[in-house]
Amino acid sequence: MSQIQEKKTLDLGYCRDDFPIFNQEINGHPLIFLDSAASSQQPSSVIDVVAQYQREDHANVHRGVHVLSHRATESYENARDKLCNFINAANRNEIVLTSGTTESINLVAQSFCRPMLKQGDQVLISWLEHHSNIVPWQLVCEQTGAELIVAPINDDGEIDIDAMITLMTERVKILAVGHVSNALGTINPLSTIIAAAKNMGIPILIDGAQGVPHMGVDVQLLDCDFYAFSGHKMLGPTGIGVLWGKEALLDAMPPYKGGGDMILEVNFDKTVFNELPYKFEAGTPNISGTIGLGAAVDYLQTVGMDNIYEHEKILHTYMVEKLSAVDGVHLIGTAKNQASVQSFRLNDIHPHDLGTILDHQGVAVRTGHHCAMPVMQRLGLPGTTRASLGLYNNFNDINRLIDALEKARQIFK
Ligand SMILES: Cc1ncc(COP(=O)(O)O)c(C=O)c1O
């Protein structure tokens, strides 16, 4: 590793000081957090902005004539503008605020797909998907008589792109695929997949839950139709996320939920729905979460998404090198193009037992099926141990993981 790379990694490691969660010990050891794919930690700037809103500005949005409501509305709508700029959406109407990736995908399944799907139609996904990008499609297929079809993956955890393209026939009415696999870290070749689907006139949804937090995303450049992501995986609060969709598609879709704020006029015989994006935002939204997510976007943009990607890539390469050198470690997920996630097994130790022993040493990892049971079934495993990185991780975190694994190996000898 060159000195320049090392310096960059160390420099970015200093960001850790911005994250108060690290000022503590877990089981008598400094916290080593390697579970960012499940939920990332929040910098003080996000925590403070949420606290300030609660303390000084809290009121409902859009409806009030008083000062607090104006302030809350302004901060809330500013966050939408930040998100629009962050993913380079064509305009702010395309940013629908949801509770997260799960709700965003359900919205598309129920509002875009359900009215048009019929028997004989197909929904195409891949074997790599998180349950959130499987179950909503199963539900809508059951409701409409459409069929769910699944593109296979190879033993490294890469989608078989040729097989996926073969499945793209005129029967397929939507393709829903992840940007990055949460279980194996595979970065899918979106430009190839999207170009092939476009060629067949198939609308495309990208599950970006593990994409947006770790690399620059430009939805116009990608040229997909929908892109879904969650705030809590990108340094923001829980319970807030985004559905980005092309305006013409969103405009033509019926509301997903009914209630306040999504209407212009209500009569018992007819209701006139609000314009985009409010048509899809029924009820009082997650105001503090949205404002916090806006601050998270500010933070990510200040560090720079290219810097974050490079930092995590260096650390991931280092982690793979170190893990491979541990006797008994078997890497799961060895795609050529991988993000900052690494699954593995240690001998035949059950991942939950391993995770518990690591936790005793202050090292937080994820264990189990990672909400991707079909991936585990395909690889013939009940689960894995998964270490996932964020911009606040550094070489020392990985060294501590390796030490803890060595200890676990001794215990299970
Ligand atoms: C790839 C992927 N998709 C979807 C989700 C669901 O995200 P949320 O629970 O925030 O809706 C996750 C969460 O782990 C994920 O990793």
Side-chain angles (χ1 to χ4, degrees):
M1 192 171 296
S2 78
Q3 278 185 345
I4 298 166
Q5 280 177 326
E6 254 186 55
K7 173 142 192 333
K8 210 162 203 170
T9 298
L10 287 173
D11 282 346
L12 280 172
Y14 293 152
C15 287
R16 197 182 183 95
D17 294 344
D18 294 339
F19 293 79
I21 196 113
F22 292 114
N23 299 331
Q24 66 176 307
E25 294 201 331
I26 300 286
N27 294 320
H29 301 274
L31 166 64
I32 303 296
F33 189 74
L34 297 171
D35 194 20
S36 294
S39 208
S40 55
Q41 298 301 345
Q42 297 173 26
S44 297
S45 58
V46 170
I47 296 166
D48 292 349
V49 115
V50 171
Q52 186 196 333
Y53 159 76
Q54 310 279 22
R55 218 182 285 118
E56 297 172 22
D57 302 331
H58 173 68
N60 213 326
V61 288
H62 297 150
R63 299 158 206 178
V65 292
H66 56 79
V67 169
L68 291 189
S69 182
H70 281 304
R71 273 196 222 151
T73 303
E74 199 182 336
S75 305
Y76 177 80
E77 291 300 336
N78 273 346
R80 193 191 307 275
D81 289 331
K82 290 175 187 178
L83 286 156
C84 176
N85 168 270
F86 185 55
I87 59 167
N88 194 30
N91 76 67
R92 69 192 315 279
N93 295 343
E94 298 184 336
I95 303 293
V96 178
L97 295 164
T98 65
S99 65
T101 309
T102 303
E103 192 188 17
S104 298
I105 297 174
N106 277 279
L107 195 166
V108 175
Q110 290 300 316
S111 173
F112 180 68
C113 293
R114 191 171 176 180
M116 60 129 166
L117 284 178
K118 55 185 188 324
Q119 208 144 23
D121 290 341
Q122 293 177 327
V123 172
L124 174 57
I125 61 170
S126 89
W127 271 79
L128 267 188
E129 304 311 315
H130 186 281
H131 297 161
S132 292
N133 201 24
I134 301 174
V135 183
W137 306 114
Q138 285 176 326
L139 291 173
V140 77
C141 283
E142 251 169 50
Q143 288 156 347
T144 59
E147 180 192 6
L148 186 68
I149 57 170
V150 187
I153 56 172
N154 64 23
D155 291 341
D156 290 320
E158 295 164 322
I159 297 175
D160 180 338
I161 299 298
D162 290 340
M164 180 178 246
I165 291 174
T166 308
L167 290 171
M168 292 180 191
T169 67
E170 65 286 347
R171 288 178 64 192
V172 175
K173 298 299 183 251
I174 189 153
L175 163 68
V177 69
H179 193 159
V180 174
S181 156
N182 69 306
L184 304 182
T186 315
I187 303 176
N188 290 321
L190 288 190
S191 52
T192 309
I193 294 172
I194 291 171
K198 290 248 145 224
N199 199 29
M200 291 299 295
I202 300 170
I204 304 137
L205 174 139
I206 304 298
D207 170 354
Q210 302 291 345
V212 158
H214 304 287
M215 58 194 76
V217 169
D218 179 331
V219 288
Q220 295 191 67
L221 204 63
L222 273 179
D223 202 20
C224 52
D225 296 290
F226 301 101
Y227 193 101
F229 57 101
S230 299
H232 68 102
K233 295 184 196 287
M234 50 183 284
L235 316 184
T238 51
I240 184 69
V242 172
L243 171 68
W244 167 83
K246 283 188 174 156
E247 188 170 15
L249 295 179
L250 291 174
D251 215 21
M253 286 157 55
Y256 165 57
K257 293 191 284 195
D261 235 24
M262 52 76 75
I263 48 84
L264 289 178
E265 193 184 321
V266 176
N267 293 294
F268 284 125
D269 49 353
K270 185 171 166 53
T271 286
V272 181
F273 302 125
N274 206 340
E275 291 160 357
L276 284 178
Y278 309 106
K279 181 172 78 172
F280 294 111
E281 295 179 5
T284 299
N286 182 349
I287 304 166
S288 63
T290 306
I291 293 169
L293 181 53
V297 165
D298 287 341
Y299 189 91
L300 289 168
Q301 284 184 320
T302 302
V303 179
M305 292 312 295
D306 289 346
N307 291 333
I308 291 171
Y309 179 76
E310 201 181 326
H311 170 74
E312 293 178 359
K313 194 156 187 61
I314 292 166
L315 285 184
H316 180 260
T317 304
Y318 182 74
M319 180 159 73
V320 166
E321 248 172 58
K322 289 281 180 185
L323 280 172
S324 305
V326 177
D327 201 15
V329 161
H330 179 56
L331 299 180
I332 314 290
T334 46
K336 279 183 242 19
N337 200 8
Q338 246 181 317
S340 54
V341 169
Q342 191 59 55
S343 268
F344 59 92
R345 304 267 308 181
L346 177 57
N347 295 321
D348 54 1
I349 304 172
H350 193 285
H352 291 328
D353 294 337
L354 184 56
T356 306
I357 289 173
L358 297 188
D359 184 54
H360 288 160
Q361 297 169 75
V363 178
V365 293
R366 200 76 174 174
T367 61
H369 53 64
H370 314 297
C371 292
M373 280 186 182
V375 178
M376 297 299 136
Q377 286 154 10
R378 164 64 180 79
L379 300 176
L381 297 167
T384 69
T385 301
R386 181 189 74 184
S388 58
L389 304 163
L391 75 166
Y392 32 66
N393 288 118
N394 56 30
F395 290 128
N396 180 53
D397 294 343
I398 293 163
N399 296 338
R400 285 274 315 280
L401 166 69
I402 300 301
D403 292 346
L405 285 172
E406 286 293 358
K407 235 177 225 168
R409 217 166 53 80
Q410 296 306 322
I411 292 169
F412 283 97
K413 226 173 184 176

